[in-house]
């Protein structure tokens, strides 16, 4: 029991403070945590789901999976193996995981290195410096993904990069021409001077979204906001960095959670080696383009994320809501929480989560 080592309320605060450092689509931070006794529940916050970009909630759940990995890592930093159950309740599909405290076990050096990298991880936009990633590090990142039940596939050939650039460009063209999408995006790009602690303020993204051969999201909607990218005048193919797909074998809620945990494991291991990541998931939000990528580049596996990995000196801190906004304590917390985010509906579309599934951690 954690009560033997620290008050449960303080321990929960510590874990959730680490969890909310995870990346999320549009920095929506679509998670909610409930602490009861020695257990923490992770819920998806449906009020923050993107109805246009992410109607099935796939990216929302991946974001929550990344937060779950951070929570696990913080528990390991305290010396306790987390006991995790994914999708534990068939009646509550958006109760994504429960985490309990295991018995004390010494933290590994790799875990400590990743925990130290937590505050330095950030999302990169635009081109990278031309230095390639060391081959041993690439192998380590692939093993990190496999440990979480996912696969990191390298897109190294010119033909692979061309075949990936095309659907990214096509998807971004569709998005920029959609009034519904640009309106939704505008809701998550607060203007300069905003006091909001979510979304993407102008200082975090480039003024020109198309500074590499992979089209970026136009967060400013041609409003000339954002920062000027210092590398834009030196674009070469290596400026893309290392391009990878993060894939899973299936497409259940549990698979999305695995993808999120694998993503964060990869990102923190990369950050510990001064490598940053950029995302180009636009085509994975459009079913036909996602099927195309699955067929032509993912060997039939389900593509969950498209990443570029490389080096850059900029560190642009992301905004986060305070822990008090996302953590609720006490036996009545679940009812209050679900009442605040609205009714919890069935799992989206054809997805059928694997119930009560335990995941190995450590």
């Amino acid at each position: 029991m954690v009560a033997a080592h620290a008050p449960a309320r303080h321990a929960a605060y510590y874990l959730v403070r680490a969890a909310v450092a995870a990346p999320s689509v549009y920095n929506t931070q679509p998670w909610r945590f409930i602490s009861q006794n020695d257990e923490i529940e992770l819920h998806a916050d449906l009020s923050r789901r993107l109805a246009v970009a992410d109607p099935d909630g796939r990216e929302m759940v991946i974001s929550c999976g990344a937060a779950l990995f951070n929570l696990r890592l913080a528990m390991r930093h305290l010396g306790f193996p987390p006991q995790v159950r994914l999708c534990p309740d068939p009646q509550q599909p958006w109760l994504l995981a429960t985490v309990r405290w295991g018995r004390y076990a010494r933290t590994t050096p790799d875990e400590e290195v990743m925990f130290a990298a937590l505050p330095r991880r950030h999302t990169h936009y635009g081109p990278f410096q031309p230095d390639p990633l060391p081959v041993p590090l690439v192998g380590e990142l692939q093993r990190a993904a496999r440990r979480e039940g996912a696969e990191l596939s390298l897109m190294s050939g010119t033909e692979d990069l061309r075949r990936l650039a095309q659907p990214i460009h096509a998807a971004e063209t569709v998005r920029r021409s959609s009034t519904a999408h640009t309106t939704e995006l505008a809701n998550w790009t607060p203007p300069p001077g905003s006091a909001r602690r979510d979304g993407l303020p102008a200082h975090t993204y480039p003024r020109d979204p198309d500074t590499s051969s992979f089209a970026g999201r136009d967060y400013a909607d041609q409003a000339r906001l954002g920062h000027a990218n210092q590398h834009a005048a030196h674009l070469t193919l290596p400026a893309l960095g290392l391009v990878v797909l993060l894939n899973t074998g299936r497409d259940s809620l549990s698979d999305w959670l695995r993808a999120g945990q694998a993503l964060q494991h990869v990102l923190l291991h990369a950050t510990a080696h001064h490598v940053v990541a950029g995302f180009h998931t636009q085509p994975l939000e459009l079913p036909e383009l996602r099927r195309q990528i699955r067929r032509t580049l993912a060997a039939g596996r389900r593509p969950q994320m498209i990443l570029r990995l490389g080096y850059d000196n900029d560190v642009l801190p992301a905004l986060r809501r305070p822990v008090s906004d996302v953590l609720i304590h006490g036996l009545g917390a679940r009812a209050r929480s679900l009442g605040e985010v609205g009714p919890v509906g069935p799992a989206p579309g054809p997805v059928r989560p694997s119930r009560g599934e335990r995941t190995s951690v450590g």
Side-chain angles (χ1 to χ4, degrees):
M1 294 284 289
V2 69
H5 305 280
R9 183 178 292 265
H10 293 287
Y13 182 94
Y14 181 86
L15 298 180
V16 172
R17 185 176 63 179
V20 300
S24 59
V25 57
Y26 293 8
N27 195 27
T28 50
Q29 304 171 48
W31 39 63
R32 189 166 295 237
F33 301 87
I34 297 176
S35 174
Q36 299 188 56
N37 300 321
D38 63 344
E39 180 177 86
I40 295 180
E41 298 178 351
L42 167 61
H43 294 255
D45 186 342
L46 299 187
S47 70
R48 292 174 171 269
R49 178 168 55 178
L50 301 171
V52 178
D54 187 31
D56 289 342
R58 183 183 64 85
E59 291 179 291
M60 175 183 68
V61 175
I62 290 174
S63 301
C64 289
L68 176 59
F69 182 84
N70 281 2
L71 192 150
R72 288 169 45 197
L73 186 62
M75 193 174 283
R76 286 298 298 126
H77 177 69
L78 294 177
F80 297 91
Q83 298 176 344
V84 181
R85 294 184 69 203
L86 302 182
C87 304
D89 186 349
Q91 302 305 313
Q92 296 189 77
W94 300 115
L95 167 56
L96 299 178
T98 59
V99 185
R100 288 180 174 269
W101 301 77
R103 295 181 179 275
Y104 179 82
R106 187 181 298 276
T107 308
T108 68
D110 285 346
E111 290 166 340
E112 291 294 357
V113 166
M114 284 193 292
F115 186 80
L118 260 176
R120 303 200 312 272
R121 188 218 62 80
H122 65 282
T123 299
H124 176 75
Y125 303 92
F128 291 115
Q129 296 175 9
D131 309 272
L133 270 63
V135 172
L137 176 58
V138 175
E140 293 169 10
L141 297 176
Q142 290 180 298
R143 287 191 291 275
R146 284 197 296 270
R147 285 189 60 185
E148 306 299 335
E151 172 188 82
L152 203 64
S153 299
L154 309 185
M155 302 288 106
S156 54
T158 302
E159 180 60 22
D160 282 350
L161 295 176
R162 185 194 65 79
R163 287 193 291 175
L164 192 53
Q166 184 273 327
I168 291 173
H169 182 271
E172 186 59 22
T173 299
V174 169
R175 290 309 198 198
R176 294 183 193 183
S177 63
S178 165
T179 301
H181 179 263
T182 55
T183 299
E184 181 176 73
L185 186 59
N187 290 335
W188 294 100
T189 49
S194 171
R196 284 176 55 177
R197 303 297 299 174
D198 58 5
L200 293 161
H203 75 270
T204 61
Y205 55 81
R207 188 174 303 148
D208 180 359
D210 300 322
T211 53
S212 80
S213 56
F214 282 10
R217 293 190 194 270
D218 188 6
Y219 291 109
D221 192 23
Q222 302 179 348
R224 303 302 295 166
L225 298 174
H227 61 78
N229 194 302
Q230 61 178 328
H231 303 310
H234 305 286
L235 293 181
T236 61
L237 186 61
L240 274 176
L242 176 67
V243 180
V244 299
L245 295 182
L246 183 69
N247 305 319
T248 58
R250 297 182 301 157
D251 241 351
S252 70
L253 288 180
S254 296
D255 288 289
W256 298 347
L257 282 168
R258 287 193 199 92
Q261 292 174 92
L263 171 67
Q264 189 66 352
H265 196 153
V266 167
L267 293 179
L268 291 179
H269 191 88
T271 301
H273 291 82
H274 311 289
V275 172
V276 293
F279 302 97
H280 293 270
T281 57
Q282 305 100 306
L284 305 184
E285 298 167 356
L286 300 175
E288 181 56 39
L289 292 177
R290 189 177 182 224
R291 284 192 292 269
Q292 175 185 329
I293 291 172
R294 178 189 176 192
R295 183 178 64 253
T296 60
L297 293 168
R301 295 174 67 81
R302 273 67 171 184
Q304 305 293 354
M305 298 294 294
I306 301 170
L307 293 82
R308 297 185 301 114
L309 299 165
Y311 295 101
D312 189 83
N313 293 326
D314 295 334
V315 178
L316 302 173
L319 300 176
R320 290 294 183 271
R321 293 185 290 159
V323 171
S324 58
D325 281 7
V326 300
L327 172 61
I328 302 177
H329 298 272
L331 295 176
R334 178 184 291 180
R336 294 197 307 274
S337 175
L338 297 182
E340 290 170 9
V341 302
V344 176
V351 171
R352 294 294 181 266
S354 303
R355 299 300 177 192
E357 180 178 345
R358 293 186 182 273
T359 181
S360 60
V361 293

